[in-house]
Amino acid sequence: SAVISQKPSRDICQRGTSLTIQCQVDSQVTMMFWYRQQPGQSLTLIATANQGSEATYESGFVIDKFPISRPNLTFSTLTVSNMSPEDSSIYLCSDRWNYGYTFGSGTRLTVV
Amino acid sequence: DAKTTQPPSMDCAEGRAANLPCNHSTISGNEYVYWYRQIHSQGPQYIIHGLKNNETNEMASLIITEDRKSSTLILPHATLRDTAVYYCIVTTGANNLFFGTGTRLTVIP
């Protein structure tokens, strides 16, 4: 399986600002996924990012709030824009390999 | 993807086998059963997956009933480091994983 490096691991941000989270995969993968995990909750899919095409967003998530880039088969970024305290969560990226999925270690975001 | 039902929490004594059940009565013929776990503040970790046969690896065993409507994850000798939330997921493997609420396993010394 691939190894995913995600950064930053945590950050504290002011409301109204934006944060970009990066995920680097050690091998080429077609599909990458971005999840949000709110405090005490399970993981919720934000969007699916395929290289060379626009990301596909799940209901309740929009590109203006969570723009995603996928410039090549080993890298993706998620930006959390115009942040509010409600955006305080753990954000995780994931890839799909053969029949399994690997996850990054997560970014713990606190908005104050 | 088919939905799953898991007990919200379980306790297990250290050194004993932990048996985590999962119901997936609407599973389709092309859907696999995956198990992941999430230790506090970390990303989910792959444990095991199977289609219809029982599977075993260095971490756990997966027992799938003949009708495939339920399965059990077995951790043969639970340690304190196995304390985590365990997610049972059914999926074709072609798209994303849908995470339910999982089972919070607490291994007790």
Side-chain angles (χ1 to χ4, degrees), chain B residues 71-86:
Chain B
S71 61
T72 301
L73 178 74
I74 301 172
L75 308 179
H77 306 286
T79 70
L80 299 180
R81 288 176 293 183
D82 292 321
T83 292
V85 178
Y86 288 76

Side-chain angles (χ1 to χ4, degrees), chain A residues 13-29:
Chain A
C13 300
Q14 297 290 323
R15 68 176 66 202
T17 63
S18 298
L19 175 71
T20 295
I21 302 167
Q22 300 179 4
C23 274
Q24 179 75 51
V25 188
D26 69 349
S27 60
Q28 295 184 336
V29 294

Side-chain angles (χ1 to χ4, degrees), chain A residues 62-78:
Chain A
V62 294
I63 188 171
D64 290 346
K65 177 66 175 178
F66 298 101
I68 289 171
S69 77
R70 186 78 205 277
N72 56 53
L73 291 173
T74 63
F75 189 77
S76 180
T77 67
L78 170 77

Side-chain angles (χ1 to χ4, degrees), chain A residues 86-103:
Chain A
E86 292 71 34
D87 294 320
S88 297
S89 295
I90 298 173
Y91 293 85
L92 301 110
C93 62
S94 170
D95 73 1
R96 187 172 68 86
W97 54 272
N98 295 331
Y99 296 104
Y101 300 77
T102 304
F103 287 81

